[in-house]
Amino acid sequence: MLHVVAVITAQPGQRAAVLRELNAIVPEVRQEEGCIEYGPALDHEDSPQPFGADSLVVLEKWESKAALDQHLAAPPLRAFIAATEGMVASLAVHVLNPA
């Protein structure tokens, strides 16, 4: 199993639009082969180290690297990338092994 933490930083004022596009693909992604968990998260108001007002985090679990690779090439993610072109300032993807 792999854990993935993807930190998306939207252009100023665009986080709600990026989150809307992400939420639109969540049901499809959760049906992809090998998907264990997939969903967005936002800073808690009391977070001691917030990601920031323009950021959102996608928390993912995949059965294997092959499943993750298939997701990265799948139509839902491709649609999200196309729909948010120009709205995303940066993206950091961390792929982790369970400890």
Side-chain angles (χ1 to χ4, degrees):
M1 179 177 65
L2 294 177
H3 298 274
V4 177
V5 178
V7 181
I8 301 170
T9 303
Q11 296 288 353
Q14 293 296 309
R15 185 175 78 174
V18 172
L19 183 58
R20 184 172 47 254
E21 294 295 337
L22 181 62
N23 279 324
I25 69 164
V26 167
E28 289 179 84
V29 172
R30 288 181 177 163
Q31 296 302 311
E32 291 177 15
E33 185 175 339
C35 181
I36 299 168
E37 180 181 331
Y38 189 91
L42 302 174
D43 286 324
H44 185 273
E45 62 270 6
D46 294 330
S47 176
Q49 294 181 318
F51 285 96
D54 294 319
S55 295
L56 60 107
V57 177
V58 185
L59 301 172
E60 311 174 32
K61 288 184 186 176
W62 295 92
E63 287 181 358
S64 66
K65 177 69 166 67
L68 174 59
D69 289 344
Q70 285 180 327
H71 162 67
L72 295 174
L77 184 60
R78 298 284 121 211
F80 169 75
I81 291 168
T84 59
E85 186 175 344
M87 290 191 267
V88 174
S90 66
L91 170 64
V93 178
H94 307 273
V95 180
L96 310 165
N97 290 315

